[in-house]
Amino acid sequence: MPFGDHESIPKKEKISVSYLVERLQERVQIDLENFVAEGNADQRYVTEADLHRPGLALAGFVKLFTHQRIQIIGNTESNYIQDLSKEEQIKAFKKLTQYDIPVLILTHENQLPNYLLDLAEEAGIPVYGTPLETTQFMHLTRDFLEDQFALQTMVHGSMVDVYGIGILIAGKSGIGKSEVALDLVERGHRLVADDVVILTKKNNVLMTSATEMNKHFMEIRGLGIIDIMSMFGIRAIRYQKRLEVVLELSLWDESKDIERTGLNRDVTSVLGVDIPLINLPITPGKNITVIAEVIAMNYLLRHYGYDAAEAFQDKVKTHIADKAKAADPMPRRAIEYFEGDIE
């Protein structure tokens, strides 16, 4: 089928605070210590990737308080609380605990007095602390949450890292996508996923990965299932890769117009992100593997500012202009002078 828009997989609506803390500790390597209400972490949920610092809420302005977000108390909020009397601290902190806050996290080794922690305990709000600076913690946590709540879709094809460029080989079933991917792996490139590819939209970038079931496995029709990591080694696989080019294989059809110069570039939209699309008709004798390598190298050249199609077009225009200015109408040789070749 033609490669195009795909329906997105229903994304997560929420994650529990306990899941968040566990993954931040295990996957992101963030040190988090619980102060109070850890038992409520399973019943508290995070519903969006944005974080919030409740400085204005502590000062009394709660009209626009986004209480549904993770609340971060950094140096600014902590110093503000410390400058208040005990009664003022309790009054200010109650402005927070009256809301259904999912979790409150103290950064940069900041602490809260026990009587304020007791208020959080009474409200059932889990409180954690981390030695990380506020900016660093918020960056790492927001990146993790954006991944958790990201849009995803699933496509059929083979995803390969070729010279550092993520190429998704698409095309109708049985056209030879897996065989091309296998040939690329044999030539030293890296397999990301075969048959089923998961695309995740993150920061307007499409990241690709395999499913838990099919990662580093490949199906070759007539042969069966093969394990790429066991056969070619750990260097032959990648667990994720950014999608940069879609290579769509199709059978040769003389009635279709095929791009000859590369000046007209097709794109395909996946989850709202435009990706370069190359439609490659298959004919006997065509080496798709080498062409895939050339596609990757050509993409790199364009990335660094050189476009062969535009360079050739400029050369043709210059030649036509020079020919129009020439006084001699006689046709010229392609090469004016050949040096002697006596090898």
Side-chain angles (χ1 to χ4, degrees):
M1 67 175 183
F3 194 90
D5 290 326
H6 293 77
E7 293 185 4
S8 60
I9 300 172
K11 66 178 183 178
K12 292 181 179 179
E13 295 183 356
K14 60 182 180 180
I15 60 173
S16 69
V17 171
S18 59
Y19 175 87
L20 170 69
V21 172
E22 179 184 346
R23 292 299 184 272
L24 288 179
Q25 290 174 329
E26 293 180 358
R27 302 299 296 273
V28 193
Q29 301 298 308
I30 295 178
D31 184 16
L32 286 167
E33 177 187 358
N34 177 256
F35 294 141
V36 294
E38 186 175 26
N40 293 337
D42 285 332
Q43 287 78 43
R44 297 276 173 163
Y45 296 97
V46 180
T47 58
E48 55 183 271
D50 290 327
L51 311 178
H52 187 256
R53 299 183 66 173
L56 285 175
L58 287 170
F61 183 75
V62 293
K63 185 177 180 180
L64 300 176
F65 181 35
T66 51
H67 61 87
Q68 72 278 10
R69 298 176 181 173
I70 297 173
Q71 303 299 313
I72 308 295
I73 292 186
N75 290 336
T76 303
E77 293 80 11
S78 181
N79 289 333
Y80 173 77
I81 292 173
Q82 291 173 10
D83 286 343
L84 301 176
S85 65
K86 181 178 179 180
E87 292 74 17
E88 290 174 330
Q89 288 180 5
I90 294 174
K91 181 180 179 181
F93 202 71
K94 281 185 175 180
K95 290 184 174 69
L96 299 184
T97 58
Q98 66 178 320
Y99 291 94
D100 190 22
I101 294 173
V103 62
L104 197 153
I105 299 178
L106 306 172
T107 60
H108 213 239
E109 297 184 336
N110 285 299
Q111 301 287 331
L112 287 176
N114 288 333
Y115 49 84
L116 296 186
L117 292 177
D118 291 341
L119 291 176
E121 179 81 49
E122 292 174 9
I125 301 173
V127 180
Y128 292 84
T130 178
L132 284 181
E133 295 181 356
T134 305
T135 303
Q136 184 181 8
F137 176 78
M138 292 182 70
H139 170 74
L140 294 173
T141 305
R142 186 179 290 112
D143 183 73
F144 173 80
L145 290 173
E146 285 176 351
D147 182 77
Q148 292 294 304
F149 295 119
L151 284 174
Q152 288 187 324
T153 190
M154 180 176 65
V155 299
H156 291 285
S158 296
M159 184 69 193
V160 188
D161 177 352
V162 183
Y163 297 130
I165 303 302
I167 299 180
L168 176 61
I169 304 170
K172 70 177 186 178
S173 180
I175 202 167
K177 301 182 292 295
S178 297
E179 288 77 2
V180 174
L182 179 61
D183 200 8
L184 286 167
V185 169
E186 199 276 333
R187 292 171 67 92
H189 305 291
R190 306 172 71 181
L191 176 72
V192 180
D194 181 61
D195 189 35
V196 179
V197 183
I198 301 297
L199 280 73
T200 302
K201 182 181 179 181
K202 189 174 179 181
N203 296 326
N204 210 37
V205 170
L206 292 178
M207 297 299 297
T208 65
S209 62
T211 66
E212 285 297 320
M213 290 296 296
N214 76 332
K215 60 184 178 183
H216 65 72
F217 287 97
M218 178 179 285
E219 177 195 357
I220 302 298
R221 297 195 179 193
L223 177 61
I225 304 297
I226 60 174
D227 187 336
I228 295 297
M229 185 172 70
S230 299
M231 187 174 295
F232 295 95
I234 191 66
R235 292 181 297 177
I237 65 168
R238 284 196 64 159
Y239 284 101
Q240 63 179 16
K241 182 70 182 81
R242 175 178 177 174
L243 174 60
E244 287 156 301
V245 180
V246 174
L247 172 59
E248 184 177 18
L249 306 181
S250 60
L251 297 176
W252 175 262
D253 186 350
E254 294 183 358
S255 64
K256 292 184 178 179
D257 293 330
I258 303 299
E259 178 62 28
R260 301 288 298 272
T261 64
L263 292 171
N264 300 318
R265 297 167 195 166
D266 292 332
V267 296
T268 182
S269 178
V270 183
L271 297 178
V273 180
D274 287 340
I275 301 295
L277 171 66
I278 297 175
N279 192 309
L280 189 64
I282 296 177
T283 56
K286 183 172 287 189
N287 192 327
I288 309 300
T289 305
V290 172
I291 294 175
E293 292 180 326
V294 171
I295 288 171
M297 290 186 286
N298 200 42
Y299 183 91
L300 285 170
L301 282 172
R302 286 178 176 173
H303 180 74
Y304 285 104
Y306 177 79
D307 190 313
E310 292 181 358
F312 182 76
Q313 184 184 47
D314 292 341
K315 190 173 183 179
V316 171
K317 289 180 179 179
T318 301
H319 178 75
I320 293 173
D322 291 343
K323 189 174 181 180
K325 294 177 183 178
D328 185 5
M330 295 295 293
R332 300 175 60 188
R333 297 170 59 188
I335 303 297
E336 289 299 320
Y337 171 69
F338 283 103
E339 295 181 5
D341 186 354
I342 57 175
E343 290 186 9

mmCIF file of all heavy atoms in Angstrom, residues 237-267:
data_model
loop_
_atom_site.group_PDB
_atom_site.id
_atom_site.type_symbol
_atom_site.label_atom_id
_atom_site.label_comp_id
_atom_site.label_asym_id
_atom_site.label_seq_id
_atom_site.Cartn_x
_atom_site.Cartn_y
_atom_site.Cartn_z
ATOM 1 N N ILE A 237 22.557 -4.231 15.686
ATOM 2 C CA ILE A 237 21.205 -3.813 16.051
ATOM 3 C C ILE A 237 21.225 -2.459 16.753
ATOM 4 O O ILE A 237 22.259 -2.022 17.271
ATOM 5 C CB ILE A 237 20.513 -4.849 16.968
ATOM 6 C CG1 ILE A 237 21.245 -4.940 18.313
ATOM 7 C CG2 ILE A 237 20.421 -6.196 16.293
ATOM 8 C CD1 ILE A 237 20.484 -5.704 19.361
ATOM 9 N N ARG A 238 20.088 -1.799 16.716
ATOM 10 C CA ARG A 238 19.838 -0.593 17.504
ATOM 11 C C ARG A 238 18.446 -0.719 18.098
ATOM 12 O O ARG A 238 17.544 -1.271 17.471
ATOM 13 C CB ARG A 238 19.889 0.674 16.644
ATOM 14 C CG ARG A 238 21.273 1.117 16.259
ATOM 15 C CD ARG A 238 21.273 2.549 15.771
ATOM 16 N NE ARG A 238 20.872 3.466 16.841
ATOM 17 C CZ ARG A 238 21.171 4.761 16.824
ATOM 18 N NH1 ARG A 238 21.862 5.269 15.831
ATOM 19 N NH2 ARG A 238 20.781 5.545 17.805
ATOM 20 N N TYR A 239 18.266 -0.196 19.321
ATOM 21 C CA TYR A 239 16.956 -0.289 19.950
ATOM 22 C C TYR A 239 16.043 0.854 19.530
ATOM 23 O O TYR A 239 14.826 0.731 19.605
ATOM 24 C CB TYR A 239 17.104 -0.321 21.468
ATOM 25 C CG TYR A 239 17.562 -1.666 21.966
ATOM 26 C CD1 TYR A 239 18.887 -1.890 22.311
ATOM 27 C CD2 TYR A 239 16.676 -2.730 22.062
ATOM 28 C CE1 TYR A 239 19.313 -3.128 22.749
ATOM 29 C CE2 TYR A 239 17.087 -3.973 22.504
ATOM 30 C CZ TYR A 239 18.413 -4.166 22.848
ATOM 31 O OH TYR A 239 18.827 -5.393 23.267
ATOM 32 N N GLN A 240 16.608 1.959 19.082
ATOM 33 C CA GLN A 240 15.795 3.062 18.590
ATOM 34 C C GLN A 240 16.626 3.909 17.634
ATOM 35 O O GLN A 240 17.843 3.908 17.677
ATOM 36 C CB GLN A 240 15.274 3.936 19.734
ATOM 37 C CG GLN A 240 16.368 4.632 20.547
ATOM 38 C CD GLN A 240 15.787 5.489 21.647
ATOM 39 O OE1 GLN A 240 14.624 5.366 22.009
ATOM 40 N NE2 GLN A 240 16.598 6.395 22.176
ATOM 41 N N LYS A 241 15.932 4.622 16.743
ATOM 42 C CA LYS A 241 16.613 5.484 15.780
ATOM 43 C C LYS A 241 15.624 6.501 15.251
ATOM 44 O O LYS A 241 14.455 6.192 15.036
ATOM 45 C CB LYS A 241 17.181 4.670 14.605
ATOM 46 C CG LYS A 241 17.949 5.516 13.581
ATOM 47 C CD LYS A 241 19.256 6.012 14.159
ATOM 48 C CE LYS A 241 20.026 6.907 13.180
ATOM 49 N NZ LYS A 241 19.530 8.285 13.155
ATOM 50 N N ARG A 242 16.112 7.701 15.020
ATOM 51 C CA ARG A 242 15.274 8.748 14.433
ATOM 52 C C ARG A 242 14.960 8.420 12.978
ATOM 53 O O ARG A 242 15.835 7.986 12.225
ATOM 54 C CB ARG A 242 16.009 10.083 14.525
ATOM 55 C CG ARG A 242 15.293 11.228 13.850
ATOM 56 C CD ARG A 242 16.062 12.521 14.023
ATOM 57 N NE ARG A 242 15.427 13.621 13.318
ATOM 58 C CZ ARG A 242 15.840 14.884 13.407
ATOM 59 N NH1 ARG A 242 16.884 15.184 14.150
ATOM 60 N NH2 ARG A 242 15.203 15.830 12.731
ATOM 61 N N LEU A 243 13.704 8.624 12.584
ATOM 62 C CA LEU A 243 13.308 8.416 11.193
ATOM 63 C C LEU A 243 13.644 9.657 10.382
ATOM 64 O O LEU A 243 13.193 10.757 10.696
ATOM 65 C CB LEU A 243 11.805 8.123 11.104
ATOM 66 C CG LEU A 243 11.214 8.020 9.690
ATOM 67 C CD1 LEU A 243 11.892 6.901 8.906
ATOM 68 C CD2 LEU A 243 9.712 7.803 9.745
ATOM 69 N N GLU A 244 14.434 9.468 9.316
ATOM 70 C CA GLU A 244 14.846 10.596 8.494
ATOM 71 C C GLU A 244 14.457 10.453 7.023
ATOM 72 O O GLU A 244 14.246 11.450 6.341
ATOM 73 C CB GLU A 244 16.369 10.778 8.614
ATOM 74 C CG GLU A 244 16.746 11.359 9.964
ATOM 75 C CD GLU A 244 18.167 11.030 10.368
ATOM 76 O OE1 GLU A 244 18.503 9.839 10.461
ATOM 77 O OE2 GLU A 244 18.943 11.970 10.617
ATOM 78 N N VAL A 245 14.335 9.222 6.512
ATOM 79 C CA VAL A 245 13.962 8.997 5.116
ATOM 80 C C VAL A 245 13.065 7.771 5.036
ATOM 81 O O VAL A 245 13.321 6.766 5.707
ATOM 82 C CB VAL A 245 15.209 8.779 4.222
ATOM 83 C CG1 VAL A 245 14.778 8.545 2.772
ATOM 84 C CG2 VAL A 245 16.164 9.963 4.300
ATOM 85 N N VAL A 246 12.009 7.862 4.208
ATOM 86 C CA VAL A 246 11.188 6.697 3.893
ATOM 87 C C VAL A 246 11.517 6.259 2.472
ATOM 88 O O VAL A 246 11.408 7.046 1.529
ATOM 89 C CB VAL A 246 9.677 7.006 4.011
ATOM 90 C CG1 VAL A 246 8.858 5.813 3.528
ATOM 91 C CG2 VAL A 246 9.318 7.344 5.449
ATOM 92 N N LEU A 247 11.959 5.013 2.331
ATOM 93 C CA LEU A 247 12.255 4.426 1.022
ATOM 94 C C LEU A 247 11.147 3.443 0.693
ATOM 95 O O LEU A 247 11.053 2.372 1.287
ATOM 96 C CB LEU A 247 13.611 3.720 1.062
ATOM 97 C CG LEU A 247 13.991 2.897 -0.175
ATOM 98 C CD1 LEU A 247 14.023 3.771 -1.429
ATOM 99 C CD2 LEU A 247 15.324 2.198 0.033
ATOM 100 N N GLU A 248 10.292 3.837 -0.243
ATOM 101 C CA GLU A 248 9.147 3.000 -0.600
ATOM 102 C C GLU A 248 9.462 2.215 -1.870
ATOM 103 O O GLU A 248 9.696 2.797 -2.933
ATOM 104 C CB GLU A 248 7.892 3.851 -0.807
ATOM 105 C CG GLU A 248 6.658 3.010 -1.077
ATOM 106 C CD GLU A 248 5.394 3.849 -1.200
ATOM 107 O OE1 GLU A 248 5.506 5.068 -1.410
ATOM 108 O OE2 GLU A 248 4.301 3.274 -1.090
ATOM 109 N N LEU A 249 9.464 0.898 -1.740
ATOM 110 C CA LEU A 249 9.716 0.022 -2.879
ATOM 111 C C LEU A 249 8.403 -0.259 -3.603
ATOM 112 O O LEU A 249 7.370 -0.478 -2.975
ATOM 113 C CB LEU A 249 10.340 -1.292 -2.412
ATOM 114 C CG LEU A 249 11.605 -1.199 -1.551
ATOM 115 C CD1 LEU A 249 12.107 -2.595 -1.201
ATOM 116 C CD2 LEU A 249 12.686 -0.408 -2.275
ATOM 117 N N SER A 250 8.457 -0.249 -4.930
ATOM 118 C CA SER A 250 7.266 -0.541 -5.734
ATOM 119 C C SER A 250 7.692 -1.253 -7.007
ATOM 120 O O SER A 250 8.850 -1.155 -7.432
ATOM 121 C CB SER A 250 6.511 0.753 -6.081
ATOM 122 O OG SER A 250 7.340 1.634 -6.818
ATOM 123 N N LEU A 251 6.754 -1.988 -7.600
ATOM 124 C CA LEU A 251 7.033 -2.671 -8.862
ATOM 125 C C LEU A 251 7.089 -1.651 -9.998
ATOM 126 O O LEU A 251 6.383 -0.644 -9.989
ATOM 127 C CB LEU A 251 5.973 -3.728 -9.140
ATOM 128 C CG LEU A 251 5.894 -4.870 -8.110
ATOM 129 C CD1 LEU A 251 4.736 -5.797 -8.458
ATOM 130 C CD2 LEU A 251 7.205 -5.634 -8.061
ATOM 131 N N TRP A 252 7.922 -1.918 -10.990
ATOM 132 C CA TRP A 252 8.073 -1.008 -12.121
ATOM 133 C C TRP A 252 6.763 -0.885 -12.895
ATOM 134 O O TRP A 252 6.116 -1.867 -13.207
ATOM 135 C CB TRP A 252 9.178 -1.503 -13.039
ATOM 136 C CG TRP A 252 9.291 -0.672 -14.291
ATOM 137 C CD1 TRP A 252 8.772 -0.943 -15.509
ATOM 138 C CD2 TRP A 252 9.959 0.580 -14.404
ATOM 139 N NE1 TRP A 252 9.067 0.050 -16.396
ATOM 140 C CE2 TRP A 252 9.799 1.015 -15.742
ATOM 141 C CE3 TRP A 252 10.668 1.388 -13.520
ATOM 142 C CZ2 TRP A 252 10.331 2.205 -16.206
ATOM 143 C CZ3 TRP A 252 11.202 2.576 -13.980
ATOM 144 C CH2 TRP A 252 11.030 2.971 -15.312
ATOM 145 N N ASP A 253 6.381 0.339 -13.164
ATOM 146 C CA ASP A 253 5.162 0.619 -13.923
ATOM 147 C C ASP A 253 5.490 1.729 -14.912
ATOM 148 O O ASP A 253 5.753 2.867 -14.529
ATOM 149 C CB ASP A 253 4.039 1.043 -12.983
ATOM 150 C CG ASP A 253 2.703 1.204 -13.714
ATOM 151 O OD1 ASP A 253 2.703 1.177 -14.976
ATOM 152 O OD2 ASP A 253 1.671 1.366 -13.036
ATOM 153 N N GLU A 254 5.498 1.365 -16.206
ATOM 154 C CA GLU A 254 5.884 2.336 -17.237
ATOM 155 C C GLU A 254 4.920 3.507 -17.330
ATOM 156 O O GLU A 254 5.278 4.576 -17.821
ATOM 157 C CB GLU A 254 5.980 1.646 -18.601
ATOM 158 C CG GLU A 254 7.105 0.619 -18.691
ATOM 159 C CD GLU A 254 7.204 0.032 -20.085
ATOM 160 O OE1 GLU A 254 6.369 0.415 -20.946
ATOM 161 O OE2 GLU A 254 8.103 -0.795 -20.325
ATOM 162 N N SER A 255 3.702 3.321 -16.859
ATOM 163 C CA SER A 255 2.715 4.392 -16.967
ATOM 164 C C SER A 255 2.926 5.480 -15.913
ATOM 165 O O SER A 255 2.347 6.563 -16.021
ATOM 166 C CB SER A 255 1.298 3.819 -16.828
ATOM 167 O OG SER A 255 1.103 3.249 -15.537
ATOM 168 N N LYS A 256 3.739 5.206 -14.910
ATOM 169 C CA LYS A 256 3.976 6.181 -13.852
ATOM 170 C C LYS A 256 5.200 7.030 -14.158
ATOM 171 O O LYS A 256 6.178 6.541 -14.709
ATOM 172 C CB LYS A 256 4.154 5.475 -12.500
ATOM 173 C CG LYS A 256 2.879 4.811 -11.981
ATOM 174 C CD LYS A 256 3.129 4.222 -10.594
ATOM 175 C CE LYS A 256 1.854 3.597 -10.035
ATOM 176 N NZ LYS A 256 2.073 3.005 -8.690
ATOM 177 N N ASP A 257 5.116 8.302 -13.783
ATOM 178 C CA ASP A 257 6.269 9.194 -13.922
ATOM 179 C C ASP A 257 7.217 8.968 -12.753
ATOM 180 O O ASP A 257 6.814 9.028 -11.588
ATOM 181 C CB ASP A 257 5.820 10.660 -13.948
ATOM 182 C CG ASP A 257 5.021 10.985 -15.202
ATOM 183 O OD1 ASP A 257 5.275 10.341 -16.239
ATOM 184 O OD2 ASP A 257 4.127 11.860 -15.126
ATOM 185 N N ILE A 258 8.465 8.737 -13.071
ATOM 186 C CA ILE A 258 9.483 8.489 -12.058
ATOM 187 C C ILE A 258 10.443 9.680 -12.017
ATOM 188 O O ILE A 258 10.859 10.193 -13.053
ATOM 189 C CB ILE A 258 10.274 7.193 -12.354
ATOM 190 C CG1 ILE A 258 9.308 6.004 -12.442
ATOM 191 C CG2 ILE A 258 11.325 6.953 -11.282
ATOM 192 C CD1 ILE A 258 8.539 5.748 -11.168
ATOM 193 N N GLU A 259 10.774 10.124 -10.829
ATOM 194 C CA GLU A 259 11.700 11.244 -10.655
ATOM 195 C C GLU A 259 13.069 10.883 -11.226
ATOM 196 O O GLU A 259 13.636 9.830 -10.931
ATOM 197 C CB GLU A 259 11.814 11.595 -9.160
ATOM 198 C CG GLU A 259 12.788 12.715 -8.863
ATOM 199 C CD GLU A 259 12.388 14.026 -9.525
ATOM 200 O OE1 GLU A 259 11.178 14.243 -9.752
ATOM 201 O OE2 GLU A 259 13.288 14.818 -9.826
ATOM 202 N N ARG A 260 13.609 11.785 -12.064
ATOM 203 C CA ARG A 260 14.884 11.509 -12.730
ATOM 204 C C ARG A 260 16.025 12.376 -12.225
ATOM 205 O O ARG A 260 17.189 11.988 -12.303
ATOM 206 C CB ARG A 260 14.726 11.731 -14.251
ATOM 207 C CG ARG A 260 13.675 10.861 -14.912
ATOM 208 C CD ARG A 260 14.125 9.422 -14.997
ATOM 209 N NE ARG A 260 15.324 9.279 -15.804
ATOM 210 C CZ ARG A 260 15.325 9.097 -17.116
ATOM 211 N NH1 ARG A 260 14.184 9.048 -17.777
ATOM 212 N NH2 ARG A 260 16.466 8.970 -17.777
ATOM 213 N N THR A 261 15.714 13.571 -11.744
ATOM 214 C CA THR A 261 16.787 14.502 -11.375
ATOM 215 C C THR A 261 16.972 14.645 -9.872
ATOM 216 O O THR A 261 18.064 14.978 -9.406
ATOM 217 C CB THR A 261 16.501 15.896 -11.956
ATOM 218 O OG1 THR A 261 15.299 16.426 -11.370
ATOM 219 C CG2 THR A 261 16.345 15.818 -13.467
ATOM 220 N N GLY A 262 15.928 14.441 -9.100
ATOM 221 C CA GLY A 262 16.018 14.659 -7.659
ATOM 222 C C GLY A 262 15.694 16.082 -7.247
ATOM 223 O O GLY A 262 15.805 16.437 -6.071
ATOM 224 N N LEU A 263 15.289 16.924 -8.213
ATOM 225 C CA LEU A 263 14.931 18.305 -7.890
ATOM 226 C C LEU A 263 13.549 18.386 -7.242
ATOM 227 O O LEU A 263 13.290 19.260 -6.414
ATOM 228 C CB LEU A 263 14.974 19.170 -9.155
ATOM 229 C CG LEU A 263 16.369 19.401 -9.752
ATOM 230 C CD1 LEU A 263 16.259 20.073 -11.111
ATOM 231 C CD2 LEU A 263 17.210 20.252 -8.810
ATOM 232 N N ASN A 264 12.663 17.492 -7.658
ATOM 233 C CA ASN A 264 11.325 17.448 -7.063
ATOM 234 C C ASN A 264 11.321 16.413 -5.945
ATOM 235 O O ASN A 264 11.458 15.222 -6.197
ATOM 236 C CB ASN A 264 10.279 17.088 -8.121
ATOM 237 C CG ASN A 264 10.249 18.097 -9.254
ATOM 238 O OD1 ASN A 264 10.321 19.297 -9.004
ATOM 239 N ND2 ASN A 264 10.141 17.609 -10.484
ATOM 240 N N ARG A 265 11.166 16.858 -4.731
ATOM 241 C CA ARG A 265 11.287 15.967 -3.587
ATOM 242 C C ARG A 265 9.918 15.730 -2.958
ATOM 243 O O ARG A 265 9.239 16.681 -2.577
ATOM 244 C CB ARG A 265 12.249 16.558 -2.556
ATOM 245 C CG ARG A 265 13.657 16.713 -3.101
ATOM 246 C CD ARG A 265 14.507 17.574 -2.199
ATOM 247 N NE ARG A 265 15.717 17.991 -2.890
ATOM 248 C CZ ARG A 265 16.515 18.948 -2.476
ATOM 249 N NH1 ARG A 265 16.225 19.618 -1.379
ATOM 250 N NH2 ARG A 265 17.603 19.252 -3.160
ATOM 251 N N ASP A 266 9.550 14.474 -2.886
ATOM 252 C CA ASP A 266 8.287 14.108 -2.248
ATOM 253 C C ASP A 266 8.483 13.994 -0.740
ATOM 254 O O ASP A 266 9.579 13.675 -0.251
ATOM 255 C CB ASP A 266 7.776 12.774 -2.792
ATOM 256 C CG ASP A 266 7.355 12.874 -4.248
ATOM 257 O OD1 ASP A 266 6.952 13.975 -4.665
ATOM 258 O OD2 ASP A 266 7.441 11.855 -4.968
ATOM 259 N N VAL A 267 7.414 14.254 -0.023
ATOM 260 C CA VAL A 267 7.411 14.064 1.428
ATOM 261 C C VAL A 267 6.157 13.304 1.808
ATOM 262 O O VAL A 267 5.162 13.307 1.079
ATOM 263 C CB VAL A 267 7.467 15.410 2.198
ATOM 264 C CG1 VAL A 267 8.768 16.144 1.919
ATOM 265 C CG2 VAL A 267 6.257 16.273 1.873
#
